[in-house]
Amino acid sequence: MTVESEVRMHTGAARRVATGAVLLALVVSAFEGTVVTSAMPVITRELGGQELYSWVFSAFLFASTVGVLVSGKLADRLGRKPVFLTGMGLFLAGSALCGLSTSVPALIAFRVAQGLGAGALQPTTLTISSDLYTLRERAAIQGIFTGAWGAANALGPLIGGWLVMHTSWRWVFLVNLPVGLLSAGLLYLSYRDPPRRAQGAMGAWGPLLVGTCVALLLFALEPGSASVRWLCALGAVVVGVGLVFQQRVTASPVIPPELLRDRTVLSGIAGGLFAGALLYTMSTWVPLWMTEQGGHTPIGAGLALVPMLLGWSVGSTFGVKMLVRGGMRLSAGTGFVVAACGAGLLALAAAQGWGVGAAFASLGVLGMGLGPAASTSIIGPQSRAPWHYRGIITSSLYATRLLGGALAVAAMALARGHFATQFAIAALLTATAALGMVLTAPGREGNAVREA
């Protein structure tokens, strides 16, 4: 089935309603990501467990990684709609339970449930949007999607701060329920799954081994007994070797081998890891930096993320155009160069005490680069994958973003309180990504669309 025939299945009112449902799901997932960041300092102070601060984020990202890896294959086998609806249900149930938490350990456990649902929801949303529009149509619709995403992200910290100061932090989670239910209802009524070709067994060992490896790495990065951390690190290496061997012999690998031979796909995997590391470390540690060292309120801490998220939204609108004109080398490479400059300026602002204005400007530059780098790290490989692999490749690429974020947030927790050092490490990682993209990512000639 060609992309054009897929799009003809969703025309007129049905496609508009399905697009609205996808946008609402994008909004609720984006809102959840930023509304929590501005509220977390208050939540941990009220419930205790400040030493578990990073785990509230890492647990969500870890569970999302596992959910993403499983949902991609399920979406290709069972259909986008049932996976989307199941993911939304789990995400909303986890949100409700988070809102009822009475301790930070309980919050972390419920964040795992919420993360599993988000892991099913987020890549399936992107896959559905790629079913509704061709690559060139997505270049035009990208402005709407990034605008909605940017608005949700920008409003999230402000609404989160307002909720914490004027009502209760519990509404940070409960506010997801009405929007999520509306999104699920609209998609159920409007979207029809295209026919799917028969496929082999699901193959659960790959996602299970990936999840185990990530969990061991996260434990290895947590403060505590050195012997336990080294044991977890050794376990992660052993499981990682087992994963490589299992993927070589299995008939149902996490990512099909023919896709791993594509330079655009490989560039997207690397870009997702580094983009996730930068995005989630900034979202986690910048609000804490603003409250602990800047003495700002939760609303003020949330405002610190707005320049980055608005910059992301603006930068993403140019990402697809750069991808079409110059391939991953131009879009992701240029994006990471700009993001590295922004992260470096933020590290200097934190070290020299330049003030809020310099920090906001640095985060705006960072977002302008991160937008095209992150978005085209998914859209580029999507355009190279056949339709029957689109769910797998989308979920795998999204998983790399979450994996990069989970590991980076946990690793930088080792330098907690040294914010300038944390931001400098983020800048170094981003500069490494920029260099890699410029040297190895394909240009326009190696990025021709292969949708069929």
Side-chain angles (χ1 to χ4, degrees), residues 57-216:
F57 297 93
S58 295
F60 180 86
L61 296 174
F62 159 67
S64 296
T65 302
V66 176
V68 161
L69 291 173
V70 174
S71 67
K73 293 195 173 187
L74 287 176
D76 286 336
R77 285 165 170 75
L78 304 179
R80 322 306 196 202
K81 182 188 287 187
V83 174
F84 178 94
L85 295 177
T86 301
M88 181 65 80
L90 187 56
F91 173 75
L92 295 180
S95 297
L97 291 171
C98 285
L100 299 174
S101 299
T102 57
S103 67
V104 171
L107 177 62
I108 292 171
F110 297 143
R111 287 279 283 176
V112 170
Q114 190 186 38
L116 288 171
L121 179 65
Q122 293 165 342
T124 308
T125 296
L126 298 177
T127 305
I128 291 173
S129 69
S130 69
D131 287 343
L132 294 173
Y133 299 95
T134 65
L135 177 64
R136 295 196 179 277
E137 286 178 325
R138 293 204 299 276
I141 204 71
Q142 184 72 14
I144 298 176
F145 277 80
T146 55
W149 187 92
N153 276 282
L155 290 174
L158 302 181
I159 295 176
W162 186 90
L163 289 171
V164 168
M165 294 182 67
H166 295 91
T167 58
S168 168
W169 62 263
R170 299 182 187 278
W171 283 101
V172 165
F173 301 101
L174 299 177
V175 74
N176 297 325
L177 301 181
V179 180
L181 290 172
L182 178 60
S183 172
L186 290 177
L187 190 88
Y188 178 81
L189 294 173
S190 62
Y191 179 77
R192 182 160 62 95
D193 276 306
R196 297 174 301 280
R197 65 171 61 182
Q199 300 191 43
M202 170 67 184
W205 278 107
L208 179 62
L209 289 172
V210 171
T212 302
C213 185
V214 173
L216 288 170

Side-chain angles (χ1 to χ4, degrees), residues 377-431:
S377 290
I378 290 181
I379 295 174
Q382 268 185 340
S383 69
R384 297 285 296 164
W387 179 85
H388 57 280
Y389 283 150
R390 189 177 294 157
I392 294 175
I393 195 63
T394 302
S395 64
S396 299
L397 290 165
Y398 205 91
T400 63
R401 183 187 296 182
L402 296 169
L403 176 61
L407 294 177
V409 168
M412 291 192 186
L414 298 176
R416 178 170 176 170
H418 303 281
F419 295 104
T421 300
Q422 290 177 319
F423 300 151
I425 293 172
L428 180 61
L429 289 174
T430 310

Side-chain angles (χ1 to χ4, degrees), residues 289-317:
W289 170 51
M290 295 292 288
T291 56
E292 286 195 353
Q293 291 198 350
H296 294 276
T297 65
I299 291 180
L303 275 171
L305 293 178
V306 172
M308 180 184 76
L309 300 170
L310 291 180
W312 175 305
S313 179
V314 173
S316 293
T317 61

Side-chain angles (χ1 to χ4, degrees), residues 175-374:
V175 74
N176 297 325
L177 301 181
V179 180
L181 290 172
L182 178 60
S183 172
L186 290 177
L187 190 88
Y188 178 81
L189 294 173
S190 62
Y191 179 77
R192 182 160 62 95
D193 276 306
R196 297 174 301 280
R197 65 171 61 182
Q199 300 191 43
M202 170 67 184
W205 278 107
L208 179 62
L209 289 172
V210 171
T212 302
C213 185
V214 173
L216 288 170
L217 283 173
L218 291 176
F219 283 122
L221 292 170
E222 281 297 304
S225 171
S227 59
V228 173
R229 291 168 58 189
W230 278 109
L231 184 61
C232 289
L234 178 61
V237 172
V238 172
V239 174
V241 172
L243 172 65
V244 172
F245 176 78
Q246 187 270 342
Q247 291 293 291
R248 292 174 64 91
V249 301
T250 184
S252 182
V254 173
I255 303 178
E258 56 266 39
L259 294 181
L260 288 176
R261 291 190 286 268
D262 191 300
R263 287 174 61 203
T264 299
V265 173
L266 292 176
S267 298
I269 292 173
L273 280 169
F274 285 98
L278 184 60
L279 170 65
Y280 290 110
T281 52
M282 294 297 109
S283 298
T284 300
W285 299 113
V286 166
L288 191 64
W289 170 51
M290 295 292 288
T291 56
E292 286 195 353
Q293 291 198 350
H296 294 276
T297 65
I299 291 180
L303 275 171
L305 293 178
V306 172
M308 180 184 76
L309 300 170
L310 291 180
W312 175 305
S313 179
V314 173
S316 293
T317 61
F318 300 103
V320 175
K321 295 179 181 178
M322 290 193 294
L323 177 68
V324 172
R325 292 181 180 178
M328 293 285 289
R329 185 181 304 153
L330 177 64
S331 60
T334 302
F336 278 122
V337 168
V338 174
C341 293
L345 289 173
L346 181 63
L348 287 174
Q352 301 298 322
W354 285 348
V356 174
F360 278 25
S362 302
L363 287 164
V365 173
L366 188 154
M368 283 286 291
L370 187 56

